[in-house]
Structures are given as C-alpha cells and as structure tokens.
Amino acid sequence: MARTGMDDALLDKLHEYWGYAQFRPLQQEAMTAVLEGRDSLVVLPTGGGKSLCYQAPALCMDGMAVVVSPLISLMKDQVDALRVCGISAAYLNSSQEQDESRRVMRDVRAGEIKLLYVAPERLMLEGMLCLLTEIKLSFIVIDEAHCVSMWGHDFRPHYRELQELKNIFPKCGIHAYTATATEQVRNDIAAQLALKKPEILIGSFDRPNLTYSVARRADRFSQVCEVLDRHPNESGVIYCISRADVESLSESLNNAGYKTRPYHAGLPDQERAANQEAFIQDRVDAIVATIAFGMGIDKPNVRYVIHAGLPKSLENYQQESGRAGRDGLEAECVLLYSEQDAMIWKRILDDQPDESRSTALQSLQAIQNYCHAFDCRHRYLMQHFGQDLEQDCETGCDLCRGDFQKVDNALEIGQKILSSIFRQDQNFGSSYTAAVLKGSKDKKVLANRHDQLSTYGLLKQESLTTIRHWVNQLVSQKFLTKTAEYQQLRITDSGWKLLRGEVTPQLMRTTQEVKSDKTRRTKNDLADLNWKGVDKSLFECLRSLRKEIASEKSLQPYMVFGDTTLRELARHKPKSLAEFLEIWGVGQKKCDDFGQQFLECITSFNG
Ligand code: ADP
C-alpha cells in the first residue's frame, strides 16, 4: 500500500506515543478504514496488534472513540496501559463505584477523553446512548466481536443488543475486531452489527514466533521441568486437564524449587485472583492451571505454554497456546499427551446431548491427529483454520527441526497393521491391535483366539507404544477411522489402497525412541536472534527496576516497558535521554517519566 499523508500522521502517533516505527501487517489498511469513516471487520491473531488499529486513528481524529469490550477484568489494564503512554482514556463498567463513573461521564461530556472502554450492557443504557449523541463521537469499536455470533465460541447475549448501534449512530464508523473467526462467524458478525460495505481484513493465523512441539507423556514431572529449565526467570503457563492435577503438579514443582501458583475454578475467589496477580506481576514464574485460566489475561511476555494433558480441540489449543509470545518475541508451546487423556475427555463428554457430543468428538479427534501429524505443525494448524503456509517453518516445530525419524519400510508396516485390523473383523481399538501385532499373551487376545491370526506377533520386535503410535498415525493420515462409540478401527477407502500397495503412508518413531539430541531440540534460531548482543545481566537489572516502578505506580510491569524494549536497552545501552527516546517501544511520555531512572540503572551497571 502506498504511503499517504494519512499514513504519515499515523506513523507520527505510533512513534510519539508508543515508540514504534512501522505498521504490522494489515494495520495500515485497518487504520485507513477507521480514518475514512468506513465500517470494517478485522481478523488478526492474538498479538497481531488489533488494539493499535483503532487507538492510533483515535488520536488523529476529533472527538472520542468508544470501545465495546466484554472483558471487564481487562478494561482497567487497557486504560492504564494507554495512560502511561500519555493517552487520555477511561472505562465504564459494573465494577466501578458510582462516584468514579460519574467523574468519567463528566470528563466525557467535557471532551477530555479520547478512548472510552465500555461493557456492552452499559453502553446500551439510555442515559449512556443519550450522552454519546450529545458529544462528538469519532467511531465505535466492537472488540472480541465473535461474541456477537451464536456460531462463535463465546456468544454473549448482550452483544446482540449492539445491532441497534447502526440505527442510532448511522454516520458513525463501526469497527469489529476478533482473533478467531470462521467464515460463518465472520459473515454473522457483519450481518448482526449491520455493517455497511465493511472493509474486511483477514490476517494470517500463523504465529511465526511460536515453536510447537509434541511429545508422548512418559514422566510428566521431569518433562515439565525440562521445559522450565530452558526458561529460568521467565513466565509460562502449564495447563492440566483436572483440578487435582493442577494442585499436585504445582506442589511438586514448588517442592523442587520452582516458583509456581495453582489456578482453577475450585479455588476460593480471593486465592485465585491473588495467584493470577502474582503471575501477572512477575512474582512467580509459572501458573499451573485448568482451562479456566486465560480469558482476560493480556500478559505479553509469556515465554512458554505447556499442555501437560491433551486439550479438547484444536480451537482450544490455538487459543491456549496463543497466550505465549504476544509481544512477538520467541516463545515455545509444548504439548504432552497420552492416549488416556482422550478417554478422560470422552467420559466428560458422555453427559452431553448427542448432537454436540458428536461435534466435540470430532474436535477431539482433530487434536489427536495434530499430535500424530508428520508435516509442519504450523501448516497443520493453519490448514485447520482454512489457510495455508507458503513454506515450512524450518525450525519452528519439532517435525521441521527433524526431531522425529521417518520409518523406511512404512508401507510394509502399514500393511501389517491394516491386515491385522481386517482379520480382527475391524472390531477392536488401537491398544488391542497393538497387542495382537506385538504377539501379546493378553487374556482378551487369547480368548478371541487372535493368537491364531497370521498377523499375530508380526511386529514383535517393536514396543507396544510404538505400534500404538503407528496406528494413530495411520488414523491421522485417514487410512483408518475410529467409530464414535467404542473407538473400533475401520479401514477407509485410502486404507484399502494402502493394502493394495497403491499408496504409502508416512510413519515416524517418537523422540523417546530416537533418543533425541537435546541441544537440537532446544535450539531456537529466533531466540538466538532476539538475544543477540543483549547483555543478559543488565537485562535482569532492568527487569528488577521495571518491577519496582510498576509496584510503586500500581501498574503491571509490562505497562512500564515490554521485554522487547528491555532487551533493546540492554543491547544498545543508551547514555542520554535523546538516545533513550530512540529505543523501540519508548514514546515521549514514558521517556519523560521513566527515562532518568533507567539511564541511571544502565550507567551504574556499566560502573
Ligand atoms: P492483539 O489485541 O491483536 O492481541 P495487541 O494489540 O495487544 O494485540 O498488540 C500486541 C503487542 O504488539 C502490544 O504490545 C502492542 O503494543 C504491540 N504492537 C502493536 N502494533 C505494533 C507495531 N506496529 N509495532 C510494534 N509493536 C506493535
């Protein structure tokens, strides 16, 4: 897109208030739509920079912008983060005292606010709408816009009332933002909000700064510790399926000297909130949590997300793992799974009505297939969400890094497995099939007289785990399917082709079997690049200073400066305020407020 006078004005704001020098992908287009007063629908992944798409234009336009957000717990943080940058912002929601909300209304009336965050139910009150017709309204933002759609994963009835906005403010641009939207949800958002010829901008869902890896869970505690040890003093989230697992894992980690806190819906409210706060304020390293944790968490410097159990769908995985690396710096997502996890989820799903149960089972199979994928994991995730990746990620996932070894005689092994399944009348699941191929003396195998089959013991030199893995890989490549009820394996049309030798599957041995070379697994080119030239001891000093300032000013540490800025400071070691202002992420207001203290810290470190 060619640069215009409008872009220069926007870039000036980006530089002055946030200390950024460039637009991120699609920001320029999204901001232009706002400035031109057109409606828009913008889909960008977590960390893609959606907020700036409306915050920067708001500063270029007359009047006040209204931002509708369902996340009451986040509003204060969003407003605090804007205020430290020198932007006049405020919020209105049910968590406020009356006095405070009256003060905000007065400031709005006086034209002193540029960005007002409001909960949807609050916005649609008559008094509020009246006030907005009296003042100069620059535009309206609908954040987390998928909440308006019943097809989305987080429908909120109050969002439906926003349909009226277009009638009440026909001349006002309405801008919808979301990170997760299928085409169906997208169309629904545009229809529900009555957007007029909206500019629709859809970014890439890929998160190139995240590295993905998957491993079978053998010894959960030591596998989790292995990841934590790669991230000393860094923040991470560890997801478990059950509350009991959360408690026991957090306790074992603390006993081993790690600093973690548990988080699940069964904890008393106060304790849960305190644990979350300790995590956000960098007072502990990791939070061990059920999926109850995460909604409304904006912490940008989460460097790893470990799933110590299988998530229930790829949508959940995308969202939960997506909490890593919001600041664009390198972060890793590790999934540890066991076949038992799928059984646990199935038991949980047993109570659901048939229709939603069968969709949920499909979602569960999709995440299991991800675990057994053999292609690039970035590509796998993107394809699931209807996009493609131009080239493999090279070092961004365990598969591209070559942590697994391809099996040479995959066709022969695949045929052995499938013919055993055929001879077992396609009536059994993967563990049983593995037992037959292993030549097990299991009572059930003997009772069914499957020790008489010609396939009995055909893979006896392999471990049961390996055989089970291969069966699952064949499922993920669609040579086999599993029945919904009893998980019996059935041969598909492509399975028959495999049996006839017309197609070859891809089979791999797992890390444990290959005895992975640890240095290769931990190698992360992006991390090397992002830390290049950074004085790590100075970085730690700056981190402590950031924590001090944050607690003194009742801010979250990341609002003072993000990790990227601290790394830049520890790389370039500015000597004057003028040099300080040139650092990425330093705007004028933060330079004025914190510059001196950081410069002193750098000078005294240099001794
Ligand atoms: P989203 O809402 O899409 O998850 P955010 O708006 O929170 O993402 O942005 C993620 C991070 O990226 C924030 O720290 C934000 O300040 C930063 N960011 C946004 N736009 C830019 C940009 N053009 N240059 C540098 N950093 C940016």
Side-chain angles (χ1 to χ4, degrees), residues 14 18 20-24 27 44-52 298 300 326-327 584:
L14 241 56
W18 287 275
Y20 299 152
Q22 289 157 342
F23 297 114
R24 289 234 178 114
Q27 281 185 329
L44 283 177
T46 310
K50 289 183 283 298
S51 332
L52 243 69
D298 240 351
R326 286 183 82 118
D327 54 11
W584 189 96

Side-chain angles (χ1 to χ4, degrees), residues 32-40 173-175 196-199:
T32 305
V34 178
L35 289 181
E36 288 177 346
R38 306 175 47 191
D39 291 348
S40 71
I174 295 187
H175 306 281
K196 269 203 208 123
K197 295 196 187 138
E199 170 88 284

Side-chain angles (χ1 to χ4, degrees), residues 77 182 232 252 383 461 471 512 517:
D77 287 354
T182 60
S252 321
Q383 286 181 339
Q461 69 286 9
V471 173
Q512 287 94 346
D517 159 3

Side-chain angles (χ1 to χ4, degrees), residues 77-149:
D77 287 354
Q78 285 165 326
V79 166
D80 282 349
L82 285 166
R83 286 188 183 155
V84 273
C85 292
I87 298 163
S88 77
Y91 65 91
L92 285 172
N93 65 39
S94 53
S95 74
Q96 265 164 328
E97 298 288 329
Q98 269 206 340
D99 271 1
E100 200 185 336
S101 72
R102 255 190 235 120
R103 205 174 321 125
V104 172
M105 303 277 267
R106 201 182 51 217
D107 291 347
V108 168
R109 217 170 259 121
E112 284 168 10
I113 306 288
K114 286 309 289 181
L115 282 145
L116 179 71
Y117 286 75
V118 206
E121 58 277 20
R122 181 70 208 258
L123 173 66
M124 300 316 284
L125 294 180
E126 213 178 316
M128 186 72 217
L129 292 169
C130 255
L131 171 63
L132 294 181
T133 49
E134 286 162 20
I135 64 157
K136 172 121 188 69
L137 191 60
S138 48
F139 56 88
I140 299 172
V141 170
I142 316 291
D143 207 5
E144 311 291 342
H146 52 272
C147 296
V148 80
S149 171

